[in-house]
Amino acid sequence: MSLRFCNSHSLYHLLLVLVIFCSISAIYAKANEDATIRTMEAFSGYPIHESNSFVTNLASSLSVDTETLQKRIDELSTFSDTPAPSVTRVLYTENDVLARRIGNEAVLAPVATGSHIDAIPYSGKYDGVVGVLGAIEAINVLKRSGFKPRRSLEVIMFTSEEPTRYGISCLGSRLLAGIESLAKDLTSTVDGQNISFLDAARSAGYAKEHNDLSSVFLKKGSYSAFVELHIEQGPILEEEGTSIGIVTAIAAPASIKVDFEGNGGHAGAVLMPNRNDAGLAASELALAVEKHVLESGSIDTVGTVGILELHPGAINSIPSKSHLEIDTRDIDEKRRNSVIEKIRQSAIIIAKNRGVTLSEFKIVNQDPPALSEKSIIEAVEAASKELNLTHKLMISRAYHDSLFMARVSPMGMIFIPCFKGYSHKPEEYASGHDMENGVKVLALTLAKLSLQ
């Protein structure tokens, strides 16, 4: 089996910068068509009638090079804008571009698997990275075992899963999923330094030909399956001593921006009964978010006020403006949207009662949750059993590129434990043993799916 690393600067590779193809024919032929079969086998490099029973004995022969995998993770973590042990790798910055050049070696790539390598400021070195480098190692595992897949296999490294630079999470996978409004908006989107997305992409060596980002849209069914390996980013697997998490659903977020405006004034001169405090309005709404989430009756409903800004921001000045950004998530879209509506109604009531203006209540995004494909869940579960690994079905409360890949192909995810559930911080850590388990399960899962 052979590997090609495509280093094209086309718009397609703006998003699929680490796409590794292996030209393996998925061809069914009749036994008596010897001449045709010989031609096909000569073209593909593999026997057409590979025995499917081989995969049933594959588990015992899987060998993961955890030392090399860890070495690659450590090496990738050095491409950072902040000192170790933290990792900061923002879209299209110098270190992000350099980090994208990994993988130019002769390794084989999977059927549709992958993740991201961009990292929010001062985060860790395993989020996303395990799903990219681990995917490459999974293919090495299959190659060393002598397994010969029938379907073509592919590794994808997505652009900008984190919203750090342009405020849009899962930017690459959203575009692959064919979100037309995003493709249009990105042509005029700028970052905090007023650098447009297209200019940043071109400075990194991509998107040189034209501005039509819709050229990367994938047709539904482009992949027979997509499987993402990821650290859990939560404490459940580690606390329970479970090796593998099999994701059944991904909770999708809705993001809300809220602005209140009041009169402001001197902290000493304006008496309490006469105040129109935009800061207190924001604080009251933050508590209302918590209240409405808890009242949903489901542990799967969560809400977070991650940003709360006051203007003018002086200790002796009554806030005249306040700005909140709210994240709400659930695996039940109707229940989540009900919470959003309750938050909106609370914002209106709070503004009226406090004599301030609700100048903005904007739903920035309202993505639907995604369910994992039953056949992929079953493949991961079977792989875990064959490897004698403890496993459990669970949902993902963090969202991933898989959420959007589910719009174009059947999807599934594999979780491995991480230290205390830490993520998005320098203490983020996955042990070599847990990564080895995850890579083996991914490899065996891909083997099973490639023969379907």
Side-chain angles (χ1 to χ4, degrees):
M1 292 181 279
S2 63
L3 162 78
R4 285 202 313 274
F5 176 72
C6 302
N7 195 23
S8 166
H9 286 166
S10 68
L11 269 176
Y12 184 75
H13 294 92
L14 163 65
L15 302 170
L16 305 182
V17 293
L18 184 59
V19 177
I20 311 169
F21 296 99
C22 108
S23 56
I24 302 170
S25 300
I27 303 170
Y28 295 93
K30 294 180 181 179
N32 61 351
E33 296 175 338
D34 294 338
T36 303
I37 291 174
R38 283 196 298 271
T39 301
M40 291 178 177
E41 290 180 342
F43 176 77
S44 68
Y46 299 107
I48 296 303
H49 295 292
E50 184 70 24
S51 172
N52 285 13
S53 64
F54 180 81
V55 74
T56 62
N57 300 316
L58 187 58
S60 61
S61 66
L62 300 182
S63 173
V64 178
D65 187 350
T66 53
E67 183 177 349
T68 298
L69 176 58
Q70 185 63 60
K71 182 179 179 181
R72 287 173 177 166
I73 291 173
D74 293 341
E75 181 181 359
L76 186 58
S77 73
T78 65
F79 294 91
S80 173
D81 296 330
T82 52
S86 70
V87 177
T88 301
R89 200 158 46 235
V90 178
L91 175 66
Y92 295 146
T93 56
E94 181 180 358
N95 278 312
D96 177 60
V97 174
L98 289 172
R100 287 166 180 266
R101 294 176 183 166
I102 63 168
N104 292 345
E105 56 196 287
V107 292
L108 190 63
V111 131
T113 183
S115 196
H116 65 100
I117 65 163
D118 62 313
I120 67 169
Y122 296 95
S123 62
K125 59 185 177 182
Y126 296 89
D127 175 12
V129 171
V130 169
V132 176
L133 298 183
I136 294 173
E137 179 58 22
I139 298 309
N140 278 328
V141 167
L142 292 177
K143 184 178 180 182
R144 288 192 291 267
S145 73
F147 175 74
K148 299 175 179 63
R150 286 208 314 237
R151 294 180 181 270
S152 293
L153 304 174
E154 185 173 308
V155 172
I156 306 172
M157 186 177 77
F158 295 98
T159 288
S160 194
E161 193 264 1
E162 307 290 4
T164 309
R165 186 167 185 181
Y166 288 98
I168 305 168
S169 57
C170 298
L171 192 155
S173 53
R174 285 178 191 267
L175 282 179
L176 290 182
I179 300 179
E180 294 182 1
S181 58
L182 176 60
K184 180 180 179 180
D185 291 344
L186 277 176
T187 60
S188 58
T189 297
V190 297
D191 66 8
Q193 283 69 50
N194 207 37
I195 300 172
S196 74
F197 172 80
L198 288 175
D199 284 345
R202 288 172 181 140
S203 71
Y206 309 111
K208 288 187 174 181
E209 296 173 2
H210 49 78
N211 295 344
D212 184 13
L213 296 176
S214 67
S215 64
V216 304
F217 289 179
L218 293 175
K219 293 181 179 179
K220 190 173 180 62
S222 294
Y223 295 117
S224 61
F226 177 80
V227 187
E228 183 173 6
L229 174 65
H230 211 283
I231 60 171
E232 182 194 349
Q233 297 182 288
I236 296 173
L237 293 177
E238 185 186 59
E239 288 179 353
E240 296 184 356
T242 303
S243 298
I244 298 294
I246 305 172
V247 175
T248 58
I250 303 174
S255 302
I256 309 167
K257 291 184 178 180
V258 184
D259 289 312
F260 291 109
E261 294 185 17
N263 295 330
H266 194 284
V270 181
L271 300 179
M272 298 303 290
N274 300 327
R275 295 189 179 193
N276 308 106
D277 192 325
L280 291 179
S283 300
E284 192 172 342
L285 183 61
L287 292 173
V289 170
E290 180 187 43
K291 175 177 179 289
H292 296 316
V293 165
L294 292 174
E295 287 176 346
S296 77
S298 172
I299 196 171
D300 294 327
T301 314
V302 294
T304 305
V305 179
I307 295 176
L308 201 165
E309 299 171 340
L310 303 180
H311 177 83
I315 190 172
N316 60 346
S317 181
I318 302 166
S320 59
K321 296 180 181 179
S322 61
H323 173 78
L324 303 91
E325 295 191 19
I326 304 165
D327 179 298
T328 60
R329 307 186 186 209
D330 205 323
I331 59 170
D332 185 310
E333 185 175 13
K334 182 178 179 180
R335 188 169 58 211
R336 183 202 63 190
N337 292 348
S338 175
V339 169
I340 292 172
E341 177 57 25
K342 289 177 180 178
I343 293 171
R344 189 180 74 86
Q345 291 298 329
S346 287
I348 293 170
I349 293 170
I350 290 167
K352 181 179 179 180
N353 291 342
R354 290 195 170 274
V356 298
T357 301
L358 177 62
S359 53
E360 181 175 56
F361 189 97
K362 180 181 180 181
I363 300 174
V364 180
N365 66 278
Q366 201 167 359
D367 300 310
L371 298 178
S372 298
E373 182 73 17
K374 182 181 178 182
S375 62
I376 298 179
I377 293 173
E378 290 173 347
V380 178
E381 194 165 22
S384 301
K385 288 178 180 178
E386 289 170 30
L387 291 163
N388 295 315
L389 295 173
T390 56
H391 55 278
K392 70 174 297 178
L393 301 178
M394 62 193 306
I395 68 167
S396 173
R397 290 182 174 85
Y399 70 121
H400 309 275
D401 289 303
S402 291
L403 178 70
F404 299 97
M405 289 303 290
R407 300 186 183 188
V408 294
S409 75
M411 173 277 296
M413 288 195 73
I414 300 166
F415 276 172
I416 60 172
C418 55
F419 176 65
K420 293 186 178 180
Y422 289 163
S423 187
H424 285 192
K425 56 192 297 187
E427 294 87 348
E428 179 181 277
Y429 174 75
S431 71
H433 176 69
D434 287 329
M435 287 192 292
E436 178 180 5
N437 288 339
V439 169
K440 283 184 176 180
V441 172
L442 176 62
L444 193 53
T445 299
L446 291 171
K448 291 175 181 295
L449 294 173
S450 73
L451 295 178
Q452 288 183 1

